[in-house]
Amino acid sequence: MEKNPWRGDFPQMDADSVFLDNAASSLKPQSVIDAVDRYYRELSANVHRGVYFQSYEATRLYEETREKVAKFIHADPEEIVYTRGATAALNLVAASFGMEQVGEGDEIIVSELEHHSSVLPWQHVASVKKAQLVYVPLDEQHRITLDGFRSVLSERTKVVALTLVSNVMGYVTPMAEIIALAHARGAVVVVDAAQAVQHMPIDVKRLDVDFLAFSGHKMLGPTGIGILYGRRKWLDAMEPIEYGGDMIDIVEKNVSTWKDTPYKFEAGTMPIASVIGLGAAIDYWNASDLDKMEDHTRRVRQYVFTQMKKIPGVTIYNPSAESGIIAFNLDGVHPHDASTFFAERKVCLRAGHHCAQLLIKRLGIDACLRASFFFYNTFADGDRFVETIKEAVRFFRNIGF
Amino acid sequence: MDSLDNLYREIILDHYKNPRNKGLVTDPGYVTVRIKNPSCGDEITVQTRLEDGKIGDCRHEGKGCSICCSSASVMTETMIGKPLETAHAVAANYLNMVSGKPFDPAVDLEEAEVYAGVRQFPARVKCASIAWQAFLQTLEKK
């Protein structure tokens, strides 16, 4: 059996099942579990409030994570807002920045490749503000291209909201070029990096991006915590969308003022344990060799893809994907029927529309299966997956599908 | 593969491949209800026409997995001709059976009994339920 240097760090990994639903949520390393556990065992106390040890130490870890996140994506700590996840982060941008800045006749560029959370908040802004949603025409592989983007960019473009890596197709968007083009027209760019931050180094300064969102739980961290990066000048100008505890400066009967960025966006008690766990996840990434991990993931994906291509009765929708995702169907078998077979064989896949109905419609299907590989998956996982596909094809053929 | 064989029973596959009472009608005497399962995109429309306190006709149309589509077909066959009260009891009993809740074995589910295997697949309960839920809604809507 091949030696995978990371696999042993993940207690949920067992010999019995094959976890290939990493694009939905990653497994958590022991160090993240320990960090969360320590908060609940030793440090349960609110942050920014108490002067006793537990509260002080919890606050220190909470703010230390902000610095870790900032460093991880080359931002300043004041530009890092804690949210419930990428969805909440993208909604915050739309509900605050979008509602304040977008006006009648403005255009918001999105794409059919987006996760619902990258397009629906803007659909709402467009409908309230009488602005226009404009879709980037995708190419024949359903990719966002520079030509496609150029064809919809105009002086009316106010906001560009696009995904950096597609959660179904695994395609990487040429984002640096798109941002430069958008800025030349005065548009602001919001990037959904939920599928990107665990696969490539992110440098928000070099990208020159205005907003960038991601979730903790897809990058080895806990659920319930996500990050919104925002350019300081935008965050400073934005109004909070939630009011309450901890975010205030001075409260009067009729008018109040808020703390500075980013605290004015963090009303109430935040998921402190999850924040601290996210800090441990970033420690894990910092201690690891991302290039090596990514190279391994791609080799496993390619190994599987090469074998899948040879199985009659399998359609693959994203043969050229750059990341570890394979979107596919067994011909004539509804993905929910197929995924039950995989589940019985303890191969964990995702079946459905993957929160990307616009893309699924564009592909001309009702739903599909998605296998998403990560660095802790082995070639043996790949073999079992391929064998299970072959078995499934046989099973459904034998019962008359 | 015992439980899979138990799920994909012959009757289920037969109804999947050769659905009965499929296709909608425009007759205003029918009550129409459409149910979607937003998590997977399955979508079933059921039409019911009452006649002298009985289910005079029942039709279905939609898209989805084999369990979803076949259960719509089996449901229509089970329901046509049933007195209203029996139809209610059978549907309620069926829904309890597939979702693993207590149900009355004395109520004859006829062919629909083959869906008992769904209980072992919690992720598929919704697939086996939506046509039957839509049917019950057609009775309420009347």
Side-chain angles (χ1 to χ4, degrees):
Chain A
M1 171 108 175
E2 81 218 67
K3 186 97 185 92
N4 180 302
W6 308 285
R7 200 171 171 91
D9 300 334
F10 296 82
Q12 194 179 311
M13 194 71 82
D14 58 47
D16 210 24
S17 59
V18 176
F19 189 77
L20 300 180
D21 197 16
N22 294 290
S25 198
S26 73
L27 301 182
K28 322 301 175 205
Q30 187 63 50
S31 57
V32 167
I33 298 165
D34 288 344
V36 172
D37 186 66
R38 181 179 174 235
Y39 169 75
Y40 283 124
R41 280 176 188 280
E42 301 173 18
L43 301 172
S44 277
N46 220 323
V47 295
H48 301 153
R49 290 164 177 86
V51 291
Y52 47 95
F53 169 76
Q54 288 85 345
S55 177
Y56 173 81
E57 181 63 4
T59 305
R60 189 184 68 75
L61 291 168
Y62 183 86
E63 290 306 326
E64 186 183 74
T65 296
R66 200 186 304 274
E67 285 166 27
K68 286 178 186 173
V69 173
K71 217 169 159 187
F72 191 62
I73 60 170
H74 303 267
D76 296 325
E78 297 75 30
E79 297 172 314
I80 301 299
V81 181
Y82 291 142
T83 66
R84 178 171 51 81
T87 296
L90 295 168
N91 272 279
L92 168 57
V93 180
S96 176
F97 183 86
M99 285 300 189
E100 286 161 28
Q101 300 289 329
V102 174
E104 189 167 346
D106 285 343
E107 292 183 352
I108 302 166
I109 295 180
V110 292
S111 86
E112 288 158 280
L113 211 52
E114 302 308 304
H115 188 282
H116 294 157
S117 56
S118 177
V119 61
L120 297 184
W122 297 107
Q123 202 177 62
H124 179 67
V125 170
S127 108
V128 172
K129 293 289 170 181
K130 298 192 173 68
Q132 195 68 40
L133 268 194
V134 179
Y135 285 83
V136 179
L138 304 179
D139 75 358
E140 67 283 354
Q141 287 183 25
H142 315 286
R143 283 176 182 273
I144 298 169
T145 63
L146 282 180
D147 283 345
F149 180 71
R150 270 194 208 96
S151 74
V152 289
L153 180 67
S154 79
E155 64 282 355
R156 289 184 301 280
T157 308
K158 189 84 184 186
V159 172
V160 175
L162 293 174
T163 186
L164 183 46
V165 175
S166 156
N167 73 313
V168 182
M169 306 300 261
Y171 295 154
V172 179
T173 306
M175 197 56 81
E177 296 87 341
I178 282 176
I179 291 170
L181 288 168
H183 283 170
R185 296 293 189 111
V188 164
V189 183
V190 187
V191 169
D192 173 4
Q195 298 291 342
V197 70
Q198 64 280 52
H199 291 293
M200 59 181 70
I202 304 273
D203 184 333
V204 294
K205 291 276 148 43
R206 195 187 292 171
L207 259 182
D208 198 26
V209 64
D210 297 287
F211 295 99
L212 182 133
F214 59 91
S215 292
H217 72 97
K218 292 186 201 288
M219 53 163 312
L220 313 181
T223 56
I225 180 65
I227 297 296
L228 173 66
Y229 159 80
R231 199 189 287 280
R232 182 71 191 265
K233 68 167 176 178
W234 299 134
L235 292 179
D236 282 346
M238 278 159 61
E239 191 54 28
I241 59 167
E242 286 186 323
Y243 303 90
D246 206 34
M247 52 78 70
I248 47 91
D249 175 27
I250 293 163
V251 176
E252 303 283 359
K253 274 186 176 169
N254 291 307
V255 64
S256 302
T257 53
W258 322 131
K259 278 184 179 169
D260 285 339
T261 301
Y263 303 103
K264 68 177 176 185
F265 299 109
E266 297 172 5
T269 296
M270 297 295 284
I272 303 166
S274 293
V275 169
I276 293 171
L278 177 63
I282 289 177
D283 289 343
Y284 188 94
W285 288 110
N286 289 338
S288 313
D289 182 342
L290 181 63
D291 284 346
K292 201 172 143 193
M293 292 158 134
E294 209 35 35
D295 180 59
H296 170 78
T297 305
R298 283 180 198 187
R299 282 193 300 125
V300 173
R301 192 248 181 217
Q302 197 55 30
Y303 172 76
V304 170
F305 172 70
T306 309
Q307 294 177 76
M308 273 178 78
K309 268 195 314 193
K310 295 182 203 146
I311 306 173
V314 174
T315 300
I316 300 172
Y317 300 106
N318 63 341
S320 68
E322 295 91 328
S323 81
I325 293 178
I326 300 179
F328 70 105
N329 266 325
L330 308 184
D331 300 343
V333 182
H334 191 283
H336 265 195
D337 287 313
S339 65
T340 291
F341 187 93
F342 285 98
E344 280 300 290
R345 288 292 195 228
K346 297 196 171 174
V347 175
C348 311
L349 300 179
R350 173 84 191 267
H353 51 61
H354 315 290
C355 303
Q357 285 190 17
L358 298 175
L359 175 69
I360 295 299
K361 283 190 187 119
R362 198 184 144 85
L363 291 171
I365 53 179
D366 295 325
C368 72
L369 297 164
R370 179 184 69 184
S372 47
F373 294 86
F374 215 10
F375 58 88
Y376 43 59
N377 288 122
T378 57
F379 289 90
D381 287 344
D383 284 336
R384 232 180 94 187
F385 173 52
V386 170
E387 279 316 305
T388 310
I389 297 173
K390 289 179 182 164
E391 261 185 78
V393 169
R394 272 199 303 273
F395 174 82
F396 287 107
R397 191 183 297 141
N398 284 342
I399 63 173
F401 269 65
Chain B
M1 294 268 106
D2 276 345
S3 50
L4 273 176
D5 291 334
N6 202 19
L7 180 65
Y8 292 106
R9 301 274 294 273
E10 218 165 295
I11 293 171
I12 294 179
L13 295 164
D14 178 45
H15 278 266
Y16 180 49
K17 282 175 270 181
N18 310 296
R20 331 288 203 262
N21 307 309
K22 191 172 167 153
L24 302 180
V25 291
T26 47
D27 184 340
Y30 284 77
V31 179
T32 305
V33 168
R34 180 166 166 242
I35 291 199
K36 275 187 82 127
N37 181 358
S39 68
C40 65
D42 285 1
E43 175 182 329
I44 292 285
T45 304
V46 171
Q47 291 187 314
T48 306
R49 181 172 53 79
L50 295 184
E51 203 179 287
D52 306 329
K54 288 184 178 165
I55 309 297
D57 192 19
C58 190
R59 311 202 52 84
H60 68 99
E61 177 68 75
K63 54 181 190 177
C65 64
S66 62
I67 302 301
C68 177
C69 294
S70 67
S71 71
S73 172
V74 170
M75 183 276 293
T76 58
E77 272 212 328
T78 311
M79 290 309 177
I80 292 172
K82 288 251 181 325
L84 208 48
E85 210 170 299
T86 317
H88 261 292
V90 169
N93 225 40
Y94 170 90
L95 288 169
N96 283 340
M97 176 188 77
V98 295
S99 56
K101 291 183 191 133
F103 64 100
D104 181 0
V107 177
D108 185 5
L109 296 179
E110 301 170 20
E111 276 197 333
E113 248 168 37
V114 297
Y115 289 87
V118 171
R119 263 176 305 185
Q120 293 161 269
F121 297 87
R124 304 301 294 279
V125 171
K126 183 89 188 160
C127 313
S129 301
I130 64 171
W132 293 71
Q133 287 163 340
F135 170 73
L136 282 177
Q137 287 182 24
T138 63
L139 302 185
E140 285 158 21
K141 219 169 134 181
K142 195 195 72 65

